Amino acid sequence: MKIKELWNFKYSEPILGIEIADINHNGQVEIIAHTKTGTLLFISQSGKILHQELILKESPIWHLKIYDINADGHKELILGGMDGVLKIYKCNIIYHLELIWSHKLGSSISGFFIEDINKNNLDEIIVFSLDRTLRVLDIIDGKLIWGQIFEDGIGDAMVYTNKQNANNKEIAACGNDGTIRIFEGTTGKLLWFKKYSNKLRCVNILNSNKGSLLLFGGDDKKLHFIDINSQNEIKTIKFNDYLWKCKTYPFTYRNNAIVSSYSFSYFDKAIPIQNIEFTSKLISLNEFLNINWELTGFNIESFKIKEFDKRTLIIAGTTKGKLLIIEEKSGRILFNKNYNSCINDIQIFMEKRILYSCHDDGRIICHEIDY
């Protein structure tokens, strides 16, 4: 595999995330980046800054999605940050932003996603926060459709269709109070929950040979498998570090999972980060709940699962600044380069075979993938 670095953009603050879209409908795809100090950056495909706009003064923007909320052919920006306000903007031809609506939550936004949760052929925004609430909002005006309250902040959530009740979607959410909770999508009714001893950080669904299973974990350092319908826990896998992210793929009858654990040992400023020997792992699980392979020693900040020419690859960025490309089937590392600065996010522009990484030192690095 050949990876060629095309350009290297540098900003004065950490870049927390990036998206790729033709945001102002001018026929050109832009890179939209968000920073630790609340600024949005609009960057060309050649690495030149086109515009920057302060959204949150000295406050991080954690999350950014680009989406056409009203199906008019023009994409909008959806933003959530430490200020706890979900905002939607439209962007004009010269990259100036106009606020469409905002919705105030009580604390930092943990995440959000877009889904037709009540199967009415209209999308909703599902947003969850450290203010202890999970809310379903009308995507057009931001009005609350329904909400639920946890005992503590919510770390992760996802939507799935229960095969035993295919007419209704359900939401699985997990929180800092150690609970995993299942809600009916249309009304928000709590269907069932389980409580664990420590904070839960990630949740997903795995279509396994044993049926549909909730896959989740957190600070108890265990990956839990629960049957969605019986609510019985059928298996756990023990880790040395906190469970951080879990993703399943492909979205077919049966699928696999990639799971990462995470260590906060780098918070000890007495030890240079490059000298830390991480015990965190990246593992691959199959539909039989067996581990296909595992990689140890990589503290993964972000990873994407993408198919290139019928070959599935995992592209990951680490706390130490390593950019990894991994063959999904075998776990073999095809590319490993160290940039010496934490990689906060990665994005892939499939049409051009371009890979972007954004870093804590303010860099965005553009790579061309060839193999």
Side-chain angles (χ1 to χ4, degrees), residues 41-63:
L41 305 173
F42 298 84
I43 301 164
S44 73
Q45 283 292 309
S46 60
K48 306 298 182 183
I49 192 159
L50 302 168
H51 181 69
Q52 56 183 313
E53 190 149 337
L54 182 64
I55 303 295
L56 305 178
K57 188 175 181 180
E58 299 300 322
S59 182
I61 300 170
W62 297 128
H63 309 282

Side-chain angles (χ1 to χ4, degrees), residues 10 49 57 62 72 92 101 149 178 205 222 228 259 289 337 339 343 349 358:
K10 184 73 167 64
I49 192 159
K57 188 175 181 180
W62 297 128
D72 66 351
N92 70 14
W101 60 257
I149 299 178
I205 188 168
K222 294 177 182 177
I228 283 175
V259 180
L289 312 187
K337 184 169 182 178
Y339 286 103
I343 299 176
F349 186 16
C358 65

